[in-house]
Amino acid sequence: GEASTGTSSSSTTDVAGSTGSSTGETTGVSSTGSTGSTGSTGETTGGDAIIIVEGLSHPESIAHDLMDDVYFISNINGAPDAVDDNGFISRVLPDGTIDALAFIDGAAADVSLDAPKGMVIIEDTLWVADITRVRKFDRVSGAALGEVVIDGSLFLNDLAADAAGHIYISDTGANILYTIDLAEKPSVLLASPAIFGPNGLFVHADRLYLATYDDTKIFSTALGIPVALPEKSLDVGQLDGLAVSYTHLRAHETVLDL
């Protein structure tokens, strides 16, 4: 299973290793099993079969729309910090068939999308982190619905949401966690040098869990009293997405009981 987020029974997971400073491209995403164990570019989407999606361009995150049982895959399509308006989001069926390669396309005249990364679905809105802003799209039609600019941000990466619909954003470049409230007003949730390169996010109950790209730690913080507490140190660094399998939080091959 994946990290469940938002208020519409959606799930989202980063594609491992694609949110750092590397500009290399990945053209496929493989998915396997229900244990959370994956290859270097794979993500878990449940089931026992291995599913490979080809034809992507630097795929970064996956969001499962449980309402329509489709997967959204964000494609950076270039450098992860380039303001080039050529990012796109693919719509993929559970069997790996690409329903629409550029379901949301930065190349379209009415869409702005540079280097899309983390995503979360709240009701009928697909929220997408894109460098210094969080963009909004209709999850059914793909139509652009606006954006929330995060002033002072450097490299917005992953998104998560709580049951009420508050959105949480990691800024890997600034060691900051932001939040967007129900009125779509952004603010700083937590700024700390301890969370060195905050990346993957996941909300469980009243806590926000985060993986650090520039460190080897998984942290958590209470949503009401934001103080970063180390949960586990790993033997590897450059942690990326977080996923949940039953009651276990997974980052790469590491399990943290919730």
Side-chain angles (χ1 to χ4, degrees):
E2 294 181 330
S4 297
T5 56
T7 59
S8 64
S9 299
S10 68
S11 62
T12 181
T13 296
D14 285 341
V15 175
S18 63
T19 55
S21 58
S22 172
T23 59
E25 289 197 354
T26 304
T27 58
V29 174
S30 62
S31 304
T32 180
S34 58
T35 64
S37 177
T38 66
S40 60
T41 60
E43 291 306 317
T44 58
T45 58
D48 296 322
I50 294 176
I51 298 174
I52 298 176
V53 181
E54 299 286 359
L56 307 175
S57 181
H58 201 155
E60 207 285 330
S61 284
I62 302 172
H64 187 193
D65 181 355
L66 296 180
M67 294 289 289
D68 290 340
D69 195 20
V70 295
Y71 292 86
F72 296 111
I73 301 177
S74 58
N75 293 259
I76 293 174
N77 193 25
D81 58 353
V83 181
D84 50 19
D85 204 21
N86 71 347
F88 62 94
I89 295 173
S90 302
R91 191 175 189 266
V92 179
L93 304 181
D95 65 359
T97 301
I98 296 179
D99 180 62
L101 179 63
F103 176 67
I104 300 169
D105 191 355
D110 57 347
V111 173
S112 294
L113 194 62
D114 297 310
K117 299 178 183 67
M119 300 176 288
V120 69
I121 299 170
I122 300 177
E123 296 180 349
D124 285 335
T125 301
L126 174 67
W127 295 76
V128 183
D130 192 7
I131 307 179
T132 59
R133 59 204 66 217
V134 182
R135 304 191 192 272
K136 302 163 53 184
F137 300 94
D138 187 288
R139 70 168 183 86
V140 178
S141 68
L145 301 176
E147 64 182 33
V148 177
V149 177
I150 311 296
D151 291 332
S153 62
L154 298 178
F155 194 89
L156 301 182
N157 205 328
D158 201 16
L159 300 181
D162 62 22
H166 301 96
I167 297 172
Y168 304 93
I169 313 121
S170 59
D171 188 341
T172 306
N175 300 334
I176 294 175
L177 298 179
Y178 292 95
T179 183
I180 298 175
D181 66 17
L182 300 184
E184 299 189 5
K185 180 181 178 180
S187 61
V188 173
L189 176 72
L190 177 64
S192 171
I195 51 172
F196 193 41
N199 196 344
L201 300 177
F202 175 74
V203 174
H204 176 69
D206 61 348
R207 299 197 69 80
L208 176 67
Y209 293 83
L210 65 121
T212 52
Y213 188 81
D214 295 320
D215 202 347
T216 61
K217 296 182 178 66
I218 297 174
F219 287 88
S220 77
T221 178
L223 298 178
I225 306 175
V227 177
L229 300 175
E231 292 281 352
K232 191 159 188 174
S233 294
L234 311 182
D235 294 331
V236 296
Q238 294 189 329
L239 305 181
D240 202 329
L242 293 176
V244 166
S245 176
Y246 301 101
T247 58
H248 303 303
L249 185 67
R250 297 179 179 272
H252 293 267
E253 299 296 328
T254 298
V255 176
L256 177 66
D257 288 330
L258 296 177

